[in-house]
Amino acid sequence: MAALQQQQPTLNPVWLAQSRLRRRKFDECIEVCTNILDKNPYDQAVWYLKTRALTLKNWIDDLEIEEEGVADVLMDEHQVAQVPRPGTSLSRPLTSSGGSGAPSQAVRPMTGSGRPLTGFARPATSSRPTTSANGRVGTASLQQALKGSKPGTARPVTTSGRFVRLGTASLASEPGGPFIAVDRLDLRKYAARPLLARVLCDYLIYTEHNMKRALELCALATQVSEYQDWWWKSRLGKCYYQLGLLRDAERQFKSALGQGQSATSAGGAALGLGPGANGLNGGAVMISCVLELCKIYLRMDQPNTALEQYTSALAAHPGDSSLLLGIARVYDALREAEKAVSFYKNVLFHDASNVEAIACLAAHHFYTDQPEIALRYYRRLLQMGVTNAELWNNLGLCCFYASQYDMCLGCFDRALTLADDNALPDIWYNIGQTAVGIGDLALAYQAFKIAISLNPNHAEALNNLGVLEYRKGNDDSAAALFRSGQREGSHVFEVFFNGALLAYKAGDFQVSFELVNQALEAYPEHTESHELLKQLKAHFTML
Amino acid sequence: MGSAAAGRIWKGTQKASEHPLLDTPVAICSYISENTAPRLPALAVAAGSHVYIYRNLRPYYKFVLPAENVNTEEQEIWQKVMEGEMVMGDAVAQLTRLQDAGVVLQTRSLQLMNIGDPEAKMAFVEHWQGQPLVATTVITCMDTIKQAIDEPDAVSCLVIGTESGRVLILNPAGTAPVKNIWVGITPAMIAIQGELDVGYRITVAGRDGKLYHIRNGELQQTIIQLEAQPVGLVRLVKHVAVGCMNDVIHAYQPNGTKSWSIYLPCHILAMQRMEVTGQRMTKALLVALSNGEVRVYNEKLLVSVHTVNFPVTALWFGRYGREDNTLLTITKTGMLDIKMLPRTANLEIGALGGGPPPEQEIPLAVPKKTRLYVEQTQREREQAADMHRTFQRDLAKLRLTTARAFVKVLTDGQGAAAFTTSTNLSLSLSVAGLGPRFRLTLLLRNEGARPLLDVPVALRADPSLYALAKAQFTIPLLVPGLQYTYEVAVTAVSPEAGSDAVTVLLLAPAGSHSSAPLLQATLKMPISEPEDL
């Protein structure tokens, strides 16, 4: 050890930086590079290393759909059809649960965007999935749009705005200001040097989040490469996407895919050194391009086109779990549960430890009345080392419904100890559900009250508390709870139906009629709502 | 009929002639009025209190409804007023007395009573000077009845329903009524069966939602009370079918007993009789529904369905040109649709099949019981006692945890919603905005029985982070059961410095012996956007 320490000063610092970059010790690498650059600011190799280290440090996987901003939701102009046909749009999935194998809405709860709850929470699952304006978007939903997906949070103004903030935050943490003065760069000069241009491009995208400059650089570099380089096109597409120009982005990715395919067939993409990090072989790049292209199609609410893209990419890369997962997600969102399940199973065949696939399969089995199988899947997750409040909560529910009572409450106990503020309301809500299941209404009442105090927007808890109040005979407070539930969740048909039933019993037919119509809007096949509507209509037409 | 009150005759798609009318038409019928050959039909158009009869595309005769009887006392009052024998005040008082006694006054009397200004009253009487008080009435519906034999080109008579609650049967020429039947309620629709000289039944759907029957000129005692207002009335072979606003068609026998009902999926827009001539003499029922369907029922059997794209307003089935069986459909958009019945059409068998619905054959997707389930049940059976004990122990623990958390909610107010048990108040906080300017919304509800007066509210936040528009205010009154909304502007002073929580305290009203706050709720503020972005 001592010998090593003596030798260290003699180590070539550039080599050291390189080694540290390879070992992903980015901070140390940046430190070494900064020292060298202080002495010689024009050392291109070191500049390359530092840029790369900074980029990798701030790297985020942007293949998932991120949360949309207020402006993206309200000022959406990428909509294809005002009233899409069922099955062709994420906002208008197949209505009937019959045939598709999906459990009905009465069994499987909905998210705020009016889609069935998935087994795995991704950024897009709880919020509005696409740009297509369905019935919920309009002036009435301005409030909804401003509301964040989590209680007490606000949505970002725009997605790109948020990235800009991320960029400024990452720059503010750097001592001595930003490493590269982006506005003063002569991009034309960089564009002529392919390797430097690539690291600079990634730096602009991932560290600075300066999409406009990155776009300029990409455009120049594409020109220099005579429109033959798919890498630049895919980066161009990424820039366009983040600027919200979905159609342009689509064109670039499509073009990149066409070129990429020819490059791969011509013996592999030569740019192994390409700083794209995922660009080691043509295959991986192709997948990332397909994934980004499909992300655009999903944003534009064209799930069937996305499915086509995924499927054609699968022909080139059979068994790729990210593509399979993409297909499964789209089917899930379209409420074609049987197909989704078969693809999730396919994912597990190729990648037996895929958390998302396991969680989604577990959720599917739970909601199709096979909690004992769901329990198996969740146990597998536990064995894989996933420990979080949500998992314990789900285990508790599975144990309860599979009548393994001795383990059920222990799971909830663990969930409570592990939970943070976001998960707690849901856990208390589920405890309340369990309490209703064993008939302990006092416990249920307390649990629902706790859930509401932690998250006043918890429409389901408000609904169940309202039912409990109604059973106690407190019709007024039940009606008040239903009303606040209706304000919070337009996707929860139960609140509307219960409110309608209460109003009907109180003889307030007009209110009941309005509420039951809203319930049917949220769940068009609800039989009880139809019955109530029929009774109301009979009352209205009766002489 | 055009909206400008004109009758238009179309031949093919060409307009053949146009006849201006004086009033908006309410009903139109074509019938054979003379027994001489060639038997050309006459066209009767009912408008206002007249029936205009056209022959050979030329106006032929105008029938005016006979005047109704006017109450003699009312007539006397008017006579006296016009001759100046009675002062205006007395006349109005007399008219009012008559009205209170249940006499249905004429429009002229009602108008006089409604005029407030005495001078205008005088002018009104002057306007009618010399004209005797007559009761005019208007036609509400019209149909035809065959006179002696039931053949397509037999001589028929017009049957008219009037606003005054009468049904008139005219002679074939349409010059004078041969029957005048008092129903007592305004007929809205009429359906006729039989021949005038042989024996007939007229079913009248009244404005009061009841069906009245007239048999050979006599109003029957049987009155059918419908459960909803009728929208269509059609005579079938043995029945009268009435469609109601509650989407049901009932069929009644002549003696008033109900034979069957058809429950429809949506509103009825129009109903019409479908009298098929040719090899099969079928009398079916045509129903246009609000979902665009036009259905054909033979008795209660659905024999045909077709869909029209727009809401149908009127249907007619009969002879058109050389085709005996033609269905004319008029939609709300003004479209006229002509459909001809194929000679091979079978109106005897159901189009959509009777019997059980197809869903009955599809088994429910009940998941199979897995081996895992059986094993678990086995375990449950073997270790029932242990499981129960563990569950009860855990349940007791959970109850304790829950009770603790609940008490914490009641006392601490750590969340964004809070309730108390002593005063029955509930408070929920929400925040809107992106920053640095936020709007904090307080939703307050008094769930107790007594109103609360002068409740002070205090807001607390880190002054280095947030500037509150008002740090405290007083709510003058909290009525039980109402939702109160208060808004407070909150500005993030330095958005870069991070975010914190805002606490809202509801203090005990002045004069109460406790100084502890009634309620406390805390809201975590979102991270603020920078000011200049």
Side-chain angles (χ1 to χ4, degrees):
Chain A
M1 276 320 230
L4 250 179
Q5 269 177 4
Q6 274 175 3
Q7 273 177 8
Q8 210 161 16
T10 62
L11 266 179
N12 182 346
V14 180
W15 184 85
L16 183 66
Q18 218 170 348
S19 157
R20 280 180 174 164
L21 178 66
R22 248 198 331 265
R23 284 179 287 150
R24 304 186 66 78
K25 294 184 171 175
F26 302 126
D27 285 327
E28 291 160 39
C29 172
I30 293 166
E31 205 181 298
V32 175
C33 291
T34 316
N35 286 337
I36 306 170
L37 284 173
D38 279 346
K39 289 171 200 152
N40 178 13
Y42 300 106
D43 190 332
Q44 285 192 5
V46 180
W47 186 89
Y48 177 97
L49 285 175
K50 183 170 178 185
T51 317
R52 197 80 198 99
L54 279 170
T55 311
L56 287 176
K57 192 181 146 193
N58 291 309
W59 185 276
I60 48 163
D61 183 4
D62 52 4
L63 285 179
E64 297 274 350
I65 288 185
E66 56 285 312
E67 194 185 1
E68 285 189 284
V70 180
D72 301 330
V73 175
L74 291 177
M75 296 169 203
D76 163 31
E77 52 192 18
H78 299 288
Q79 189 183 335
V80 181
Q82 280 279 351
V83 187
R85 283 187 299 150
T88 63
S89 159
L90 295 173
S91 57
R92 201 155 167 241
L94 290 173
T95 43
S96 165
S97 54
S100 68
S104 86
Q105 205 173 333
V107 177
R108 189 165 191 163
M110 305 294 267
T111 60
S113 60
R115 293 164 59 206
L117 211 58
T118 50
F120 187 76
R122 284 176 287 119
T125 49
S126 58
S127 63
R128 204 180 63 116
T130 61
T131 57
S132 98
N134 54 3
R136 289 165 222 283
V137 174
T139 45
S141 74
L142 184 62
Q143 292 267 321
Q144 203 83 28
L146 287 171
K147 219 190 277 174
S149 54
K150 286 178 218 132
T153 61
R155 243 177 218 281
V157 185
T158 57
T159 318
S160 53
R162 188 156 76 165
F163 276 117
V164 171
R165 271 182 59 176
L166 281 177
T168 45
S170 62
L171 291 182
S173 61
E174 265 179 65
F179 166 53
I180 301 170
V182 183
D183 291 326
R184 277 184 282 149
L185 282 184
D186 181 9
L187 293 178
R188 206 170 289 277
K189 198 178 79 190
Y190 277 94
R193 300 180 196 166
L195 295 186
L196 285 187
R198 275 166 213 260
V199 277
L200 181 62
C201 176
D202 272 357
Y203 175 82
L204 288 177
I205 292 177
Y206 288 103
T207 310
E208 285 262 357
H209 297 282
N210 190 340
M211 290 301 154
K212 271 192 258 174
R213 291 296 273 177
L215 188 67
E216 273 175 54
L217 179 63
C218 290
L220 288 171
T222 321
Q223 269 175 7
V224 169
S225 63
E226 291 174 333
Y227 306 99
Q228 289 301 314
D229 194 335
W230 59 268
W231 192 90
W232 282 115
K233 287 184 180 173
S234 73
R235 283 295 182 274
L236 209 52
K238 198 188 276 290
C239 295
Y240 275 130
Y241 175 76
Q242 297 221 340
L243 289 171
L245 301 166
L246 300 187
R247 288 285 177 195
D248 296 283
E250 180 200 355
R251 206 178 312 123
Q252 293 302 332
F253 278 121
K254 268 189 164 168
S255 163
L257 275 176
Q259 305 246 325
Q261 264 147 8
S262 67
T264 343
S265 57
L271 299 146
L273 260 177
N278 46 10
L280 285 174
N281 58 42
V285 173
M286 298 316 298
I287 290 171
S288 79
C289 276
V290 171
L291 292 180
E292 293 212 49
L293 186 60
C294 290
K295 184 169 79 165
I296 294 169
Y297 283 130
L298 292 178
R299 270 286 289 272
M300 290 198 293
D301 195 16
Q302 297 182 4
N304 288 338
T305 321
L307 281 178
E308 272 168 33
Q309 290 289 341
Y310 280 130
T311 318
S312 65
L314 264 184
H317 306 280
D320 183 84
S321 60
S322 52
L323 291 173
L324 287 170
L325 213 49
I327 297 180
R329 285 174 186 173
V330 176
Y331 277 130
D332 223 356
L334 288 173
R335 300 187 67 184
E336 293 192 39
E338 259 166 30
K339 285 184 186 163
V341 164
S342 74
F343 275 97
Y344 281 128
K345 283 191 176 152
N346 211 344
V347 173
L348 281 190
F349 178 77
H350 293 287
D351 174 9
S353 319
N354 191 304
V355 178
E356 178 171 354
I358 297 176
C360 287
L361 281 173
H364 174 80
H365 283 292
F366 179 77
Y367 286 117
T368 47
D369 202 19
Q370 291 181 320
E372 65 277 0
I373 295 180
L375 192 58
R376 274 286 164 95
Y377 279 113
Y378 285 127
R379 246 175 54 194
R380 161 89 186 148
L381 280 182
L382 211 58
Q383 285 163 352
M384 279 165 49
V386 182
T387 339
N388 58 21
E390 287 84 358
L391 180 61
W392 282 109
N393 169 60
N394 289 350
L395 273 170
L397 280 177
C398 285
C399 285
F400 182 74
Y401 288 108
S403 54
Q404 304 299 306
Y405 297 113
D406 48 346
M407 289 177 295
C408 153
L409 297 179
C411 292
F412 281 122
D413 201 37
R414 268 177 197 252
L416 281 179
T417 48
L418 279 173
D420 59 354
D421 281 358
N422 291 329
L424 263 179
D426 280 331
I427 295 168
W428 279 114
Y429 170 74
N430 283 325
I431 290 175
Q433 287 286 77
T434 316
V436 170
I438 57 173
D440 190 344
L441 296 187
L443 179 64
Y445 184 84
Q446 290 179 353
F448 289 138
K449 276 258 181 187
I450 298 168
I452 293 168
S453 85
L454 293 168
N455 176 6
N457 311 333
H458 204 294
E460 289 89 352
L462 284 166
N463 172 58
N464 288 4
L465 194 62
V467 174
L468 291 181
E469 286 282 4
Y470 173 72
R471 283 178 64 106
K472 280 185 179 178
N474 303 336
D475 285 11
D476 284 347
S477 27
L481 284 164
F482 290 145
R483 267 201 301 277
S484 24
Q486 287 150 15
R487 207 176 40 238
E488 300 306 340
S490 59
H491 58 287
V492 188
F493 76 92
E494 289 96 338
V495 219
F496 293 100
F497 174 70
N498 287 334
L501 207 58
L502 200 60
Y504 180 78
K505 288 198 171 136
D508 197 347
F509 294 146
Q510 190 58 43
V511 170
S512 178
F513 181 71
E514 281 161 16
L515 287 177
V516 82
N517 274 325
Q518 277 171 291
L520 284 173
E521 210 170 278
Y523 180 21
E525 290 113 61
H526 190 224
T527 321
E528 281 87 353
S529 293
H530 279 294
E531 280 297 317
L532 184 60
L533 192 63
K534 216 161 135 192
Q535 286 185 20
L536 281 169
K537 280 188 174 164
H539 267 289
F540 288 146
T541 50
M542 200 193 288
L543 277 172
Chain B
M1 287 300 126
S3 56
R8 296 198 183 105
I9 314 277
W10 299 80
K11 192 170 186 178
T13 52
Q14 298 284 316
K15 189 161 73 176
S17 66
E18 183 164 342
H19 306 270
L21 296 174
L22 294 173
D23 209 344
T24 314
V26 291
I28 183 166
C29 284
S30 81
Y31 71 110
I32 308 284
S33 61
E34 279 180 339
N35 221 344
T36 54
R39 292 192 177 170
L40 289 174
L43 182 69
V45 178
S49 56
H50 310 285
V51 180
Y52 302 94
I53 297 169
Y54 291 82
R55 276 194 192 174
N56 297 324
L57 297 181
R58 256 179 241 108
Y60 175 71
Y61 185 74
K62 180 175 89 172
F63 171 75
V64 185
L65 285 184
E68 295 288 322
N69 295 332
V70 183
N71 187 286
T72 42
E73 272 190 71
E74 193 185 353
Q75 220 160 6
E76 276 169 27
I77 295 167
W78 270 97
Q79 207 163 0
K80 282 179 185 166
V81 168
M82 285 195 241
E83 286 165 9
E85 291 171 15
M86 193 186 258
V87 277
M88 188 60 69
D90 281 353
V92 173
Q94 292 271 350
L95 286 173
T96 317
R97 185 182 55 78
L98 275 182
Q99 193 179 30
D100 291 346
V103 176
V104 181
L105 297 181
Q106 296 306 313
T107 325
R108 202 198 285 182
S109 309
L110 293 173
Q111 275 179 333
L112 180 72
M113 286 158 75
N114 277 342
I115 296 171
D117 182 25
E119 304 245 322
K121 272 195 164 102
M122 294 303 289
F124 184 72
V125 171
E126 205 55 40
H127 173 74
W128 290 103
Q129 189 65 41
Q131 297 178 37
L133 185 67
V134 286
T136 53
T137 184
V138 293
I139 298 170
T140 56
C141 51
M142 183 169 75
D143 205 345
T144 58
I145 183 170
K146 296 274 182 335
Q147 196 181 22
I149 41 170
D150 185 17
E151 270 175 20
D153 56 351
V155 174
S156 358
C157 309
L158 290 174
V159 181
I160 296 168
T162 69
E163 183 70 40
S164 57
R166 286 179 185 281
V167 173
L168 304 178
I169 304 177
L170 308 188
N171 60 8
T175 49
V178 292
K179 276 268 191 288
N180 187 335
I181 304 141
W182 165 256
V183 180
I185 203 83
T186 310
M189 281 163 278
I190 46 179
I192 298 158
Q193 199 168 17
E195 295 83 39
L196 187 61
D197 296 347
V198 182
Y200 61 92
R201 282 170 201 279
I202 301 176
T203 309
V204 175
R207 288 245 176 99
D208 56 351
K210 289 176 182 160
L211 292 185
Y212 299 86
H213 294 281
I214 296 164
R215 191 176 166 204
N216 296 336
E218 304 264 327
L219 185 67
Q220 300 298 109
Q221 294 298 310
T222 331
I223 293 169
I224 301 166
Q225 167 77 60
L226 298 172
E227 55 206 10
Q229 284 287 359
V231 290
L233 187 68
V234 168
R235 157 175 51 94
L236 299 172
V237 185
K238 289 184 205 125
H239 302 104
V240 164
V242 56
C244 297
M245 273 175 74
N246 57 352
D247 311 344
V248 189
I249 296 172
H250 299 295
Y252 293 99
Q253 284 174 4
N255 60 5
T257 46
K258 190 169 89 172
S259 293
W260 39 263
S261 298
I262 303 168
Y263 293 89
L264 297 167
C266 50
H267 295 318
I268 302 165
L269 296 181
M271 283 171 65
Q272 194 51 257
R273 181 174 64 235
M274 176 170 165
E275 215 166 323
V276 182
T277 52
Q279 290 102 325
R280 287 195 188 83
M281 304 285 272
T282 317
K283 276 183 187 154
L285 173 68
L286 281 163
V287 187
L289 300 179
S290 59
N291 62 359
E293 282 181 358
V294 177
R295 295 183 170 199
V296 181
Y297 286 95
N298 188 355
E299 293 285 294
K300 57 183 172 179
L301 185 67
L302 178 63
V303 291
S304 159
V305 178
H306 71 265
T307 310
V308 180
N309 288 335
F310 305 102
V312 173
T313 50
L315 292 167
W316 188 262
F317 188 87
R319 190 185 168 89
Y320 176 73
R322 299 206 302 185
E323 181 59 44
D324 273 332
N325 302 315
T326 314
L327 171 65
L328 303 183
T329 314
I330 296 172
T331 65
K332 205 176 173 184
T333 51
M335 184 184 81
L336 176 71
D337 182 57
I338 301 175
K339 285 199 187 318
M340 290 172 186
L341 186 76
R343 270 153 227 277
T344 52
N346 189 351
L347 296 177
E348 307 291 320
I349 51 163
L352 300 175
E359 286 88 357
Q360 202 166 312
E361 301 300 318
I362 304 165
L364 286 177
V366 181
K368 276 185 294 205
K369 285 296 163 213
T370 52
R371 196 163 50 82
L372 209 56
Y373 176 78
V374 179
E375 279 169 19
Q376 284 184 354
T377 330
Q378 190 69 28
R379 172 173 174 266
E380 210 181 328
R381 204 180 299 150
E382 282 162 9
Q383 305 178 1
D386 280 347
M387 280 171 82
H388 180 72
R389 213 171 298 126
T390 323
F391 183 67
Q392 288 303 325
R393 196 199 62 212
D394 284 353
L395 186 60
K397 264 166 69 185
L398 182 68
R399 279 192 183 128
L400 182 65
T401 324
T402 314
R404 275 190 185 144
F406 188 58
V407 168
K408 201 161 164 250
V409 166
L410 289 182
T411 51
D412 288 16
Q414 287 304 308
F419 352 83
T420 54
T421 40
S422 54
T423 45
N424 268 323
L425 280 170
S426 74
L427 168 68
S428 122
L429 302 180
S430 59
V431 65
L434 308 161
R437 278 170 289 280
F438 294 100
R439 193 179 64 200
L440 184 70
T441 312
L442 287 76
L443 289 175
L444 253 173
R445 203 180 140 83
N446 181 1
E447 279 159 4
R450 285 181 300 116
L452 284 172
L453 289 163
D454 294 329
V455 184
V457 179
L459 285 88
R460 227 173 46 198
D462 185 350
S464 66
L465 285 176
Y466 294 107
L468 299 166
K470 44 185 175 184
Q472 50 101 356
F473 57 98
T474 307
I475 299 167
L477 177 63
L478 281 173
V479 175
L482 292 183
Q483 174 105 47
Y484 290 86
T485 311
Y486 294 94
E487 286 174 354
V488 180
V490 179
T491 311
V493 180
S494 51
E496 296 79 29
S499 70
D500 196 30
V502 174
T503 307
V504 176
L505 295 157
L506 240 71
L507 305 175
S512 70
H513 41 79
S514 161
S515 59
L518 293 176
L519 205 59
Q520 172 181 355
T522 308
L523 180 80
K524 269 191 198 135
M525 296 293 283
I527 297 170
S528 163
E529 298 277 329
E531 172 80 86
D532 55 349
L533 195 72

